[in-house]
Amino acid sequence: MESLVMSGKKLCVMVLCLYWVHAVTASVTYDHKAIVVNGQRKILFSGSIHYPRSTPQMWPELIQKAKEGGVDVIQTYVFWNGHEPSPGKYYFEDRYDLVKFIKVVQQAGLYVNLRIGPYVCSEWNFGGFPVWLKFVPGIAFRTDNEPFKAAMQKFTEKIVSMMKAENLFETQGGPIILSQIENELGPVEWEIGDPAKAYAKWAAKMAVGLDTGVPWIMCKQEDAPDPVIDTCNGYYCENFTPNKNYKPKMWTENWTGWCTYFGGGVNIRPAEDLAFSVARFIQNGGSFVNYYMYHGGTNFERTSGGPFITTSYDYDAPIDEYGLLNEPKWGHLRDLHKAIKLCEPALISVDPKVTSLGNNLEAHVFKTDSGACAAFLANYDTKSSAKVSFANEQYELPRWSISILPDCKTEVFNTARIGAQSSQKKMTVVRNAFDWESYIEEPASSSEEDSITANALWEQINITRDSTDYLWYMTDVNIDPNEGFIKSGKWPLLTVMSAGHALLVFINGQHSGTSYAGADFPKLTFNQTVNVRAGNNKISLLSIAIGLPHVGIHFETWNVGVLGPVTLEGVNEGTRDLSHQKWSYKVGLKGEDLGLQTVSGSGSVEWAQGSLLAKKQPLTWYKTNFNKPEGNDPLALDMISMGKGQVWINGRSIGRHWPGYTAHGICWDCDYAGSYTDKKCKKNCGEPSQRWYHVPRSWLRLSGNYMVVFEEWGGDPTRISLVKRTTDSVCADIYEDQPTLKNREKLDSGNVIRPKAHLWCPPGQKMSQIKFASYGLPHGSCGNYRQGDCHAHKSYDAPQRNCIGKQSCMVTVASEVFGGDPCPGIAKKLSVEAICR
Ligand SMILES: *[C@@H]1O[C@H](CO)[C@@H](O)[C@H](O)[C@H]1NC(C)=O
Ligand SMILES: *[C@@H]1O[C@H](CO)[C@@H](O)[C@H](O)[C@H]1NC(C)=O
Ligand SMILES: CC(=O)N[C@H]1CO[C@H](CO)[C@@H](O)[C@@H]1O
């Protein structure tokens, strides 16, 4: 990597030279400006798609949609706990077929950034570490610890050698241009200090020694040692600079939204702000941007991290959880990428010159000696738009926006003016009234045969090894017939302190209460009076884990389960401490032992049906059969009538359901302008954090699909329905002065190019009706437009004429199309919504 020591000026010469030298041999290097692939500097747009969060059947289409959205690189983590479920036993099949995933990306002609980690965070169970790793003697994660380093190195080597064996690195003719070692270690170093710093150095050296032929990156790692590139993660990264001037400015995680927690709202990041953050990064000299996530997908099975991360990992990404386009975000970013690629020759050649155009207004100009010129005009003000003068031309800059001028003259894109269409999705019932059968599981209670007992309360994962969410804590309590409360009827208070995450309490087989924590604080206290009687009482506590932590200093030491104290207050002696008496343990549910989620296991119990079907009862298993709905639309289960539990289809877990946890907090109106945070632009407040649960079509047979629901709290399965997700309507919101990529043509021809509204329904659907059209000053957004004071009476004519019966159509946004100007002198727009059928 000779180019590392070159100064800025020499670099240009060097690049030409590299190009010549490497014309025949593949290479990936970097310099101050960019990643250099086969001798050429590149502006690269990258999108995170995590292979286990969708199915192999979905991969080709997801990657094709990313490509059409202007993505050059697919970024994925490698999920260690999926690949090595027990030490030395590897798994690379089905959703974990990493090689296949990378080859699908290669076939689409895209690059790969392989983030091996193997710590991945990612709101994934235990941050991607196998749970067995926690029990390796003497281990401490992510610091200068020999057992940890040995295990981490072994897995990293395993992955690198697999990639090499399949010729997947770019230098071997493959698609991998970058690899990542570790992940966001910087914040840990600040806390732990020297041992973590030593570990970072070691990890970098170990990775570089694996000789992949492509650069390594470390994100959030200011001290990444050469030649490893340190990169930025965050909602904004424009002020980030790498630790050496000869490293490119790269953004490995630009959060397209944020994950959802059970009990929290769903986070939405406006497309205008996301595009603004990207343009801002590029105008400041950035050359690599990754969207985290580009397709978020689903945390199937028990892969959610947490605790309390939802099964949906939609992330408000440009492609939604189900693989459909999230519009207008997908289209707006596609247009942004096109606009920036028009600037590429200038962007990769020089650093920008920044000049002020007024208060909160800036121009960033990339001008080369050979005459290439690209300009970014920025308005950082969150309240008002501005008219600016740049190179003797006038430009109108909406608030909190950046305009892109690939020739320093023609505005082809503004981050706050969305030219792409938006769409409304809907969930339509395709099957309900399933023929359910139920089986109520008896709560476990202590008995003579119990194999695990102790005079202590034990940590949950210590016992379950995370093989299940469930652990029973069982004990006996003797109540003397002379206890005062028996006469007074003033029942004693049972207090159970738990490290998390949810708890069901049973006294003598009767459900006596439920308690659960939240994402802000995973510990919980059960504190209720209980109905104990004279003689022996069986106390059974079902402790439930809801995803292991994925982030935090030494999260391997964090506890789950009932650690006490457990007390009974209001007995003759005052308070009786039960913490140190004899406790028995049972790992998992009886239904899990019997394999009720499988057809073969289901025969082992008696199921009730018809009028005997159990409803609103805790610890209930339900089963049914159904046929595969026709068509190709994505499917989901509407679980609104259920509480909390898990769902299996043909023996495969689609994840944890918990519609019983409603999103607290306030969902304010969302303004795109101003710095985005995960407190902003939430939706679903007061409704379940997650109501719909993705059912992959490829998991279904034509008929006889076996579905099992385990319900912890109690619910009504008769109201569960299978729904399909389709596009209901498409919308466009186009300003008459909107910059468009077509403006390039204006420059060449001298003609004024009028902006156009483009609408298109998904394949197989046509526009059946214009639900709304207004040329003037309409209000609202897709799905709830309203006419404003200024409205052209012939607004509906052109959309109806051009669009009805078509899959796609265009409407020019100009007064004469709508029968004249309804309010002269005022900048107007067209808002139109068409129903797709
Ligand atoms: C973990 O389990 C072992 C028995 O398998 C026990 O000796 C130990 O005390 C437990 N530790 C904790 C923290 O519960
Ligand atoms: C349990 O509730 C009682 C009264 O309802 C209260 O006095 C006590 O502080 C509570 N204990 C805990 C640990 O919350
Ligand atoms: C680099 C960066 O911006 N990090 C921020 C990412 O977002 C989280 C949560 O909103 C912040 O805590 C980080 O500081």
Side-chain angles (χ1 to χ4, degrees), residues 493 495 497 525 527 569:
L493 184 70
T495 304
M497 311 282 266
T525 304
N527 194 28
E569 190 185 326

Side-chain angles (χ1 to χ4, degrees), residues 220 232-237 255 258 678:
K220 278 201 192 174
C232 179
N233 290 354
Y235 289 123
Y236 303 93
C237 279
W255 301 319
W258 197 246
D678 57 355

Side-chain angles (χ1 to χ4, degrees), residues 459-474:
E459 199 275 335
Q460 180 158 340
I461 306 306
N462 185 25
I463 303 178
T464 64
R465 303 283 157 132
D466 200 37
S467 60
T468 164
D469 279 358
Y470 308 101
L471 178 66
W472 286 102
Y473 291 77
M474 303 164 294

